[in-house]
Every structure is written in structure tokens, then in C-alpha cells.
Amino acid sequence: MTTLLTTELSELDKKHFIHPTSSIAQQQAEGPSHIFTEGKGVYLTDTNGHKVIDGMSSLWNVNIGHGVKEMAEAAYEQMSKLAFTSNFSTFSNEPAIRLAEKLSKILPGDLNAVFFTSGGSESNDTAFKLARHYWILKDQPERQKIISRKMSYHGVAMGATSATGLKPFRDFTNANAPHFHYVNSSVEEFRTLVEKEGPETIAAFIAEIVQGAGGVNLPPEGYFKEIRKICDEYGILMIIDEVITGFGRTGKYFAIEHEEIQPDMLCFAKGVTSGYAQLGGVALNDRLHNDFKTLSKGTLLHGYTYSGHPVACNVALKNIEIIERNGLIENAKKMGEELYKGLKYLEEKHEIVTNARGFGLLGGIDIVKDSQSGERFAEYLSPLIVKEAAKLGLILRTVTYDHDSIVFSPPLIINKAEVEQMVNILDQAISNVKREVLKG
């Protein structure tokens, strides 16, 4: 029966379902790699009864783990009372108000006002529009340009795609939005670009503290403090993208707290509901919010149908309660240290593994032909290793935009035994691929 169900669903999948960020050719040739039917804790189970550790929190987002009944109850409770109401024309609802207040308490500094969206791409698009509108209100409409980093990922909406520093995402379309510029993670290069373009033309700088989809790239020491100084010097708004890193992932509520600086805006999504509902947002500091309140005339002509969705906001409130009650931020810090130890062990054991890195429960390793020179294999091996790991019971993600990497982002509930199980499975997967592909 299970085999018949898998076959039926696989054929329907190939015929009707266009998958996001997937190979259409691979889908048509092989069907879906997994059809998941159940999640519990750090585990997922598919239609074949195959149980795997979700080493990526699905898409960096299931922070509290799968199958938490309280989350379903929170959604049911709100749906039973008020499933939806518009928040246009100053209409409002209690969960959205309560969540905005809660976020003002946990967000760093004076990020006290929130605009809600449905996800990360919308959050970053909103930040760009608000930044440009802000400069219109300040009588500096020539400030239109947005600067981001070259290995960054900020989403796939039109503005978010244009801000994404990973070139293959921009090459997907032949008409990116104008006024986006890219720099390496170098303070000097940022200053040079600002001065070349003219600071009076630049609206904002956006960055992830840790670049997720780009390969879990950690920032240079002191980088963000220096960038903040340059932004202040030239009046450029600083937008921090915490879509992946927010809500405990790095061992603090938000990754910016490690840097001890304050952004002007902070974008969030994913971990705010742990994926149990679609929600994102942009938080503004008091200065920007006060300027919007005093300078705006007429209607703020930006909003999404589901901005401040009452069910999603109620789910987010329960998610934050669970994160705090169960000490998941501290657990992310402790288990992140265990994961990093495991990745260093793999680096020491396997000559093809290098650059083990971690930041809370974000981690990564690179696969190389020569660890001394950094020379890569002609054919990337990380996709083969990730595929082998899945067979052995571990879901991970490969990154091959600029280097051959494997990245990690398990749920914040993971324990030491499960971290060790992840490392052991990956160890075996690397050994199997070395034996089969490299004959060694």
C-alpha cells in the first residue's frame, strides 16, 4: 500500500506540481526525492516509512521542531474566533497587536515598530520600499540605491532577487530592478563604492550577519561595527536581514546582538513561527518610525493581503512562548558548540573536508580536492554526499554557487545524542562517496 501510494503521488507530482528552487529535469526524470507525511521533533517520515533527521530545519525555519501540538491548538483557537480580517484602512486585530508588542520587547535596541508580511522575500522588498519612501519624505528622493554583499541571499521577489548577491538568482530573469549594487565583505570596498556612487544617492545597505544560502559564511571580525560607522557618516540606512538567523538560531535571539550595534531596520520571517504559519516582518527603529509618523501625508501605499494575519500572529506568539519556556536559545548555543566539534572531527578525519565553521546552530564544511591549496574537484562532490546522507537518514543541503559546501541548520530542540547521530551519518556518507567515486 505504501509503495502504491508513493507511486501514485509521485506521478501526480510530476504532472501538476512545479517545485520551488528545484531541478525540473530531475523532478520529471526521478519524481520527488521524498514525499513527507509526518514530522516529530527533529525527524521527518516519508510515504515509504523512511525516517530521517531534519538537519536543515526544513528550510532553516522549524526552530521548535516538528509536530508541536500547542502550535496546532493556537491556530485552531484563533481560527475558531477570527480566521482573517484585513488590516488595511487602520483595521486591526488582537494577535497582530500583541505580537508587535512582544517583538518590541525581544528585538534589540529601539526596534519598536513592526510592519508584517507573509515571508522573507516580502520583508526585504518592504524594507527597500520603506527606505526609499523614507528618503522621499526627507526631501532626498535621489537616495535610491541599495547596496548588498556578493554572496548574500535576500529572497526571490523582484526587489529581493535584485538585492541578492548570488548571481545565478539574478541571471534567472533578464530584467532585474535598477539601483542595486554589490560589494565583497570588505569595509574598504564598501567605502569605495559609497564614495564612487555618491553617498547622496544611496538609500540603504542590507546584509545577513551570517550568509545562509551563500554557504554559512561568517562575517570578518569587527566588520559590522565598521560598516555601521560608515553608514552613520554618510547617512545611509542599515538593514539587517535576520530571516534565517532570527529567533534563537545563533545562540542569541537575533544575530545582530553578537555584533553589539543597532540597525535602522531588521527583517525577519522563518523562525518567527517555526514554519507553522506564513509570517514575516520589518522592524523599524524609533527614529524612522517617528519620522514616518510626523512626515507622512495621506496613505502608506504598501501592504499585503495577509499583513498581520491573525492566525499567523497567534501562532507566532505561541512559538515565541515555547522558545522562551523551553530554553531553546541557550540550547542552540550549547548544541551549536557540539555540532562545531563534530564538524572539526570530520575535517580532521577526511582529507577532502575543510573550513569547518559554525555560529550557534548554523554550520558548514567545504569539500575540496586539496585542503592546502583549496583546489576543488572538477565535479562537485557535496551533492553526492548529501544524497548519500539522505539514504542513511539525514537531510542536509549542498551549496555550490561559489564553493563546494554542505550546510547545517537543525531544529533548536536537538540534543547531544542527535547531534552525534548527524555527525556519524555524515561521516559514513563521506566515506561511502570517497570509496565509490574517489576509489579511496
Side-chain angles (χ1 to χ4, degrees), residues 205-241:
F205 169 75
I206 184 169
E208 307 157 277
I209 299 297
V210 180
Q211 294 175 327
V216 183
N217 304 316
L218 308 186
E221 186 72 27
Y223 172 78
F224 282 101
K225 285 186 178 180
E226 293 304 312
I227 295 294
R228 176 75 266 186
K229 289 177 184 177
I230 296 172
C231 287
D232 289 342
E233 179 182 347
Y234 289 115
I236 298 166
L237 299 180
M238 175 182 268
I239 304 168
I240 294 298
D241 178 347

Coordinates of all heavy atoms in Angstrom, one line a residue, residues 205-241:
F205 N 22.0 50.0 3.0 CA 22.8 48.8 2.9 C 22.1 47.7 3.6 O 21.5 47.9 4.7 CB 24.2 49.1 3.6 CG 25.0 47.9 3.8 CD1 25.7 47.3 2.8 CD2 25.2 47.3 5.1 CE1 26.5 46.2 2.9 CE2 25.9 46.2 5.3 CZ 26.6 45.6 4.2
I206 N 22.1 46.5 3.0 CA 21.4 45.4 3.6 C 22.4 44.2 3.7 O 23.2 44.0 2.8 CB 20.2 44.9 2.8 CG1 19.5 43.8 3.5 CG2 20.5 44.6 1.3 CD1 18.1 43.4 3.0
A207 N 22.4 43.5 4.8 CA 23.3 42.3 4.9 C 22.7 41.3 5.9 O 21.9 41.7 6.9 CB 24.6 42.8 5.5
E208 N 23.0 40.0 5.7 CA 22.8 39.0 6.7 C 24.0 39.0 7.5 O 25.1 39.2 7.1 CB 22.7 37.6 6.0 CG 21.7 37.5 4.9 CD 22.0 36.3 3.9 OE1 22.8 36.6 3.0 OE2 21.5 35.2 4.1
I209 N 23.8 38.8 8.8 CA 25.0 38.7 9.7 C 25.8 37.4 9.3 O 27.0 37.5 9.2 CB 24.6 38.6 11.2 CG1 23.8 39.9 11.6 CG2 25.8 38.4 12.1 CD1 24.6 41.2 11.5
V210 N 25.1 36.3 9.2 CA 25.7 35.1 8.6 C 25.0 34.8 7.3 O 23.8 34.7 7.3 CB 25.5 33.9 9.6 CG1 26.1 32.6 8.9 CG2 26.1 34.2 10.9
Q211 N 25.7 34.7 6.2 CA 25.1 34.4 4.9 C 24.7 33.0 4.9 O 25.6 32.1 4.9 CB 26.1 34.8 3.8 CG 26.4 36.3 3.7 CD 27.5 36.6 2.7 OE1 28.4 35.8 2.4 NE2 27.4 37.7 2.0
G212 N 23.4 32.7 4.8 CA 22.9 31.3 4.9 C 23.1 30.6 3.6 O 23.9 29.7 3.4
A213 N 22.2 30.9 2.6 CA 22.2 30.2 1.3 C 23.5 30.4 0.6 O 23.8 29.5 -0.3 CB 21.0 30.7 0.5
G214 N 24.3 31.4 0.9 CA 25.6 31.6 0.3 C 26.6 30.6 0.8 O 27.8 30.6 0.3
G215 N 26.3 29.9 1.8 CA 27.3 28.9 2.3 C 27.6 28.9 3.8 O 28.6 28.4 4.2
V216 N 26.7 29.6 4.6 CA 27.0 29.8 6.1 C 28.4 30.5 6.2 O 29.4 30.0 6.7 CB 27.0 28.5 6.9 CG1 27.2 28.8 8.4 CG2 25.6 27.8 6.7
N217 N 28.5 31.7 5.6 CA 29.7 32.5 5.6 C 29.6 33.4 6.8 O 28.7 34.2 6.9 CB 29.8 33.3 4.3 CG 29.8 32.4 3.1 OD1 30.4 31.3 3.0 ND2 29.0 32.8 2.1
L218 N 30.6 33.3 7.6 CA 30.7 34.2 8.8 C 31.3 35.5 8.5 O 32.2 35.6 7.6 CB 31.5 33.5 9.9 CG 31.1 32.0 10.3 CD1 31.9 31.5 11.5 CD2 29.6 31.9 10.5
P219 N 30.9 36.6 9.2 CA 31.5 37.9 8.9 C 32.9 38.1 9.4 O 33.3 37.5 10.5 CB 30.5 38.8 9.7 CG 30.0 38.0 10.8 CD 29.9 36.6 10.3
P220 N 33.7 38.9 8.8 CA 35.0 39.2 9.3 C 34.9 39.9 10.7 O 33.9 40.6 10.9 CB 35.6 40.2 8.3 CG 34.8 39.9 7.0 CD 33.4 39.5 7.5
E221 N 35.9 39.7 11.5 CA 35.9 40.3 12.9 C 35.7 41.8 12.8 O 36.5 42.5 12.0 CB 37.2 39.9 13.6 CG 37.2 40.4 15.0 CD 36.3 39.6 15.9 OE1 36.1 38.4 15.6 OE2 35.9 40.1 17.0
G222 N 34.8 42.4 13.5 CA 34.6 43.8 13.5 C 33.9 44.4 12.3 O 33.8 45.7 12.2
Y223 N 33.6 43.6 11.3 CA 33.1 44.1 10.0 C 31.8 45.0 10.2 O 31.8 46.1 9.7 CB 32.7 42.9 9.1 CG 32.0 43.3 7.8 CD1 32.7 43.8 6.8 CD2 30.7 43.1 7.7 CE1 32.1 44.2 5.6 CE2 30.0 43.5 6.5 CZ 30.7 44.0 5.5 OH 30.1 44.3 4.3
F224 N 30.8 44.5 11.0 CA 29.6 45.3 11.0 C 29.7 46.6 11.9 O 29.0 47.6 11.6 CB 28.5 44.4 11.6 CG 27.9 43.5 10.5 CD1 28.3 42.1 10.5 CD2 27.1 43.9 9.6 CE1 27.9 41.3 9.5 CE2 26.6 43.1 8.6 CZ 27.0 41.7 8.5
K225 N 30.6 46.6 12.8 CA 30.8 47.8 13.6 C 31.4 48.9 12.6 O 31.0 50.1 12.7 CB 31.8 47.6 14.7 CG 31.1 46.9 15.9 CD 32.1 46.8 17.1 CE 31.4 46.2 18.3 NZ 32.2 46.1 19.5
E226 N 32.3 48.5 11.8 CA 32.9 49.5 10.8 C 31.9 49.9 9.8 O 31.8 51.1 9.4 CB 34.1 48.9 10.2 CG 35.3 48.7 11.1 CD 35.7 49.9 11.8 OE1 35.9 51.0 11.1 OE2 35.8 49.9 13.1
I227 N 31.0 49.0 9.3 CA 30.0 49.3 8.3 C 29.0 50.3 9.0 O 28.6 51.2 8.3 CB 29.3 48.1 7.8 CG1 30.3 47.2 7.0 CG2 28.1 48.4 7.0 CD1 30.8 47.8 5.7
R228 N 28.7 50.1 10.2 CA 27.7 50.9 10.9 C 28.3 52.4 11.0 O 27.6 53.3 10.8 CB 27.5 50.4 12.3 CG 26.6 51.3 13.2 CD 25.1 51.2 12.9 NE 24.7 52.3 12.0 CZ 23.4 52.5 11.7 NH1 22.4 51.7 12.1 NH2 23.1 53.4 10.9
K229 N 29.6 52.5 11.2 CA 30.2 53.8 11.3 C 30.1 54.5 9.9 O 29.8 55.7 9.9 CB 31.7 53.7 11.7 CG 31.9 53.3 13.2 CD 33.4 53.1 13.5 CE 33.6 52.6 14.9 NZ 35.1 52.3 15.1
I230 N 30.4 53.8 8.9 CA 30.3 54.4 7.5 C 28.9 54.8 7.2 O 28.6 55.9 6.6 CB 30.9 53.4 6.5 CG1 32.4 53.2 6.7 CG2 30.7 54.0 5.1 CD1 33.0 52.1 5.9
C231 N 27.9 53.9 7.5 CA 26.5 54.3 7.3 C 26.1 55.6 8.1 O 25.5 56.5 7.5 CB 25.6 53.1 7.7 SG 25.6 51.7 6.6
D232 N 26.6 55.7 9.3 CA 26.3 56.9 10.1 C 27.0 58.1 9.5 O 26.4 59.2 9.5 CB 26.8 56.7 11.5 CG 25.9 55.7 12.3 OD1 24.8 55.4 11.9 OD2 26.4 55.2 13.3
E233 N 28.2 57.9 9.0 CA 29.0 59.0 8.5 C 28.3 59.6 7.2 O 28.3 60.8 7.1 CB 30.4 58.5 8.1 CG 31.3 59.5 7.5 CD 32.6 59.0 7.0 OE1 33.0 57.8 7.5 OE2 33.4 59.7 6.3
Y234 N 27.7 58.7 6.4 CA 27.1 59.2 5.2 C 25.6 59.2 5.2 O 24.9 59.4 4.1 CB 27.6 58.3 4.0 CG 29.1 58.6 3.7 CD1 30.0 57.5 3.9 CD2 29.5 59.8 3.2 CE1 31.3 57.8 3.5 CE2 30.8 60.0 2.9 CZ 31.7 59.0 3.1 OH 33.1 59.2 2.8
G235 N 25.0 58.9 6.3 CA 23.5 59.0 6.4 C 22.8 57.8 5.7 O 21.7 58.0 5.3
I236 N 23.5 56.7 5.6 CA 22.9 55.5 4.9 C 22.2 54.6 5.9 O 22.7 54.4 7.0 CB 24.0 54.7 4.2 CG1 24.7 55.6 3.1 CG2 23.5 53.4 3.6 CD1 26.0 55.0 2.6
L237 N 21.0 54.2 5.6 CA 20.2 53.3 6.4 C 20.8 51.9 6.4 O 21.3 51.4 5.4 CB 18.8 53.2 6.0 CG 18.0 54.5 6.0 CD1 16.5 54.3 5.6 CD2 18.0 55.2 7.4
M238 N 20.9 51.3 7.6 CA 21.4 49.9 7.7 C 20.3 49.0 7.9 O 19.5 49.1 8.9 CB 22.4 49.8 8.8 CG 22.9 48.3 9.0 SD 24.1 48.1 10.4 CE 25.6 48.3 9.5
I239 N 20.1 48.0 7.0 CA 19.0 47.0 7.1 C 19.7 45.7 7.4 O 20.6 45.2 6.6 CB 18.2 46.9 5.8 CG1 17.6 48.2 5.4 CG2 17.1 45.8 6.0 CD1 17.1 48.3 4.0
I240 N 19.3 45.0 8.5 CA 19.9 43.7 8.8 C 18.8 42.6 8.5 O 17.7 42.7 8.9 CB 20.3 43.6 10.2 CG1 21.5 44.5 10.5 CG2 20.7 42.1 10.6 CD1 22.7 44.2 9.7
D241 N 19.2 41.6 7.6 CA 18.3 40.5 7.2 C 18.5 39.4 8.2 O 19.5 38.7 8.2 CB 18.7 40.1 5.8 CG 17.9 39.0 5.3 OD1 17.2 38.3 6.1 OD2 17.9 38.7 4.1

